[in-house]
Amino acid sequence: MGKLVIKWQRLVEENKTCPRCADTEKELEKAFLKLKEAFGLLGVEVILEKRNLTKEDFKKNPLSSNQIWINNKPLELWINAGIGNSPCCDVCGDESCRTLKLYGKTYETVPENLIIKASILALADMIKNK
């Protein structure tokens, strides 16, 4: 039936990233394995692409780190979430990093269930537009 592409980017410097991006990567991997299996039964190939941001890229736009797209649409748009920022640490230095806001809660790490929810909505969109 097609492909569902999940893209994720985060700041990586000297092979290190911040704790919230490292935790998001773990959540993304868990979601990807579940989606790959479930969507595969429907004939949909799930692809996960990871992109490293340089420190220069990050300084130009700190909110571009820890950003996820599903079929070229930001995850927050699939689930009607907002984005924000909060101070981070380690590799990010003094910059505030991306957060996700949904139902009055702020997420520094993007949880598996929101990645899966957004992917299901993207799949529904693929079916509707087929």
Side-chain angles (χ1 to χ4, degrees), residues 61-122:
N61 183 7
L63 297 184
S64 65
S65 186
N66 208 23
Q67 187 170 14
I68 299 171
W69 293 268
I70 299 173
N71 283 355
N72 292 316
K73 183 174 174 179
L75 177 137
E76 59 270 12
L77 295 181
W78 287 114
I79 60 173
N80 295 316
I83 60 166
N85 60 53
S86 67
C88 199
C89 57
D90 293 344
V91 179
C92 302
D94 295 335
E95 297 292 337
S96 289
C97 294
R98 169 184 281 270
T99 61
L100 194 63
K101 296 180 177 188
L102 185 64
Y103 306 125
K105 184 170 181 181
T106 298
Y107 298 89
E108 291 184 346
T109 296
V110 182
E112 170 190 13
N113 66 315
L114 295 183
I115 298 165
I116 290 172
K117 179 179 180 176
S119 298
I120 290 169
L121 292 168

Side-chain angles (χ1 to χ4, degrees), residues 16-49:
K16 291 175 66 179
T17 193
C18 70
R20 71 175 69 173
C21 285
D23 290 344
T24 294
E25 185 170 26
K26 291 174 190 168
E27 295 294 304
L28 193 55
E29 290 288 343
K30 290 189 298 186
F32 171 68
L33 292 174
K34 289 177 181 175
L35 292 166
K36 185 176 176 181
E37 182 179 342
F39 287 15
L41 297 172
L42 300 170
V44 175
E45 180 183 5
V46 180
I47 299 167
L48 176 59
E49 298 175 0

